[in-house]
Amino acid sequence: MNNIIFFGPPGAGKGTQAKIISELLKVAHLSTGDILRKKLLDQDKLANELKAIMSAGNLVSDDILNSIVASRLNKEVNNGFILDGYPRTLKQSEFLNEYLYETSNSINYIINIQINFETLKSRILKRSSEESRDDDKIEVIQTRYNEYVNSTQKVTELYKEKYSNIFYDIDGSLQIQEITEKIRQILKKS
Ligand code: AMP
């Protein structure tokens, strides 16, 4: 089974790789950022609340994320999935563990794409001119990076410790094709 988690700071290229790999493996690509951005189009009360949080670069509440992920995983859990942007907090990782346990599933690969702050800053600014995302502004990038360091990086380290046999660090400063190739090698190996 191909159940994969992609970790990495904003701008590391995990969304790009998760999409490529999901197409290669024919499994669902669950990007929580994409799901939330779609939700913003509803323009209802929840969308307005989400917009304020996301455009400031802060994390959306665990309850909202956990319920989004559970409902999507219910559909995909038997066919394989890639989680891109989740779990980002310890509470989310606990929820995921519980969910996988209850549905007799597990994660098979964890890919952590690493990149330094200067490189990701210039990447995100480049993306902002192409995609016009509200949160790709220079002043918001620092907040998003801080959220990563203060919360998600800790979750990543925990997974690395607990699941060292399926955890793979990858250098995110490489070219897109090189990173894809490295991931393909990892998936082939085990
Ligand atoms: P991303 O596209 O993954 O960079 O996500 C964009 C924004 O969506 C983040 O800056 C958060 O505001 C929100 N978001 C996405 N995934 C999560 C998550 N797992 N937990 C909390 N907030 C999230």
Side-chain angles (χ1 to χ4, degrees):
M1 182 65 84
N2 289 308
N3 296 339
I4 309 174
I5 297 178
F6 273 76
F7 281 122
K14 63 182 184 319
T16 304
Q17 295 298 331
K19 183 169 184 293
I20 295 171
I21 299 297
S22 72
E23 286 164 5
L24 274 173
L25 298 177
K26 301 190 173 42
V27 298
H29 172 201
L30 301 185
S31 157
T32 47
D34 284 352
I35 295 168
L36 289 167
R37 277 185 288 279
K38 246 181 234 145
K39 176 74 200 140
L40 296 185
L41 303 175
D42 291 351
Q43 296 187 326
D44 55 10
K45 188 164 170 277
L46 176 60
N48 289 338
E49 285 168 16
L50 291 176
K51 190 171 167 35
I53 297 167
M54 290 167 69
S55 58
N58 293 313
L59 292 181
V60 174
S61 82
D62 291 327
D63 287 346
I64 291 180
L65 264 297
N66 290 341
S67 85
I68 286 176
V69 168
S71 76
R72 293 295 285 262
L73 279 182
N74 282 340
K75 293 186 203 132
E76 316 290 355
V77 79
N78 296 321
N79 306 314
F81 56 83
I82 294 183
L83 286 174
D84 161 15
Y86 179 96
R88 263 170 150 109
T89 67
L90 288 175
K91 262 190 143 172
Q92 292 177 16
S93 70
E94 284 160 12
F95 179 87
L96 177 65
N97 279 345
E98 189 105 333
Y99 179 91
L100 293 172
Y101 178 76
E102 280 171 7
T103 55
S104 308
N105 274 285
S106 57
I107 298 296
N108 309 104
Y109 303 95
I110 301 167
I111 309 286
N112 182 33
I113 305 183
Q114 293 176 311
I115 196 160
N116 66 41
F117 183 61
E118 282 313 308
T119 312
L120 72 85
K121 206 161 66 174
S122 65
R123 278 208 190 156
I124 292 182
L125 288 176
K126 182 170 173 282
R127 182 171 71 188
S128 75
S129 61
E130 294 162 0
E131 289 182 20
S132 73
R133 266 175 62 167
D134 259 9
D135 58 353
D136 277 349
K137 297 192 188 85
I138 189 80
E139 59 276 20
V140 181
I141 294 171
Q142 185 70 55
T143 309
R144 290 168 63 202
Y145 189 69
N146 291 348
E147 288 279 30
Y148 171 77
V149 172
N150 295 330
S151 179
T152 314
Q153 202 169 31
K154 295 197 174 81
V155 177
T156 311
E157 281 159 10
L158 214 86
Y159 274 79
K160 185 171 185 165
E161 213 177 286
K162 206 167 159 196
Y163 306 106
S164 56
N165 55 329
I166 54 162
F167 190 104
Y168 300 89
D169 283 311
I170 293 194
D171 176 4
S173 68
L174 297 171
Q175 296 296 310
I176 292 177
Q177 294 88 335
E178 290 176 302
I179 299 180
T180 306
E181 192 44 42
K182 281 192 182 293
I183 298 172
R184 287 181 54 155
Q185 293 304 326
I186 291 166
L187 301 178
K188 241 194 249 168
K189 222 171 28 190
S190 11

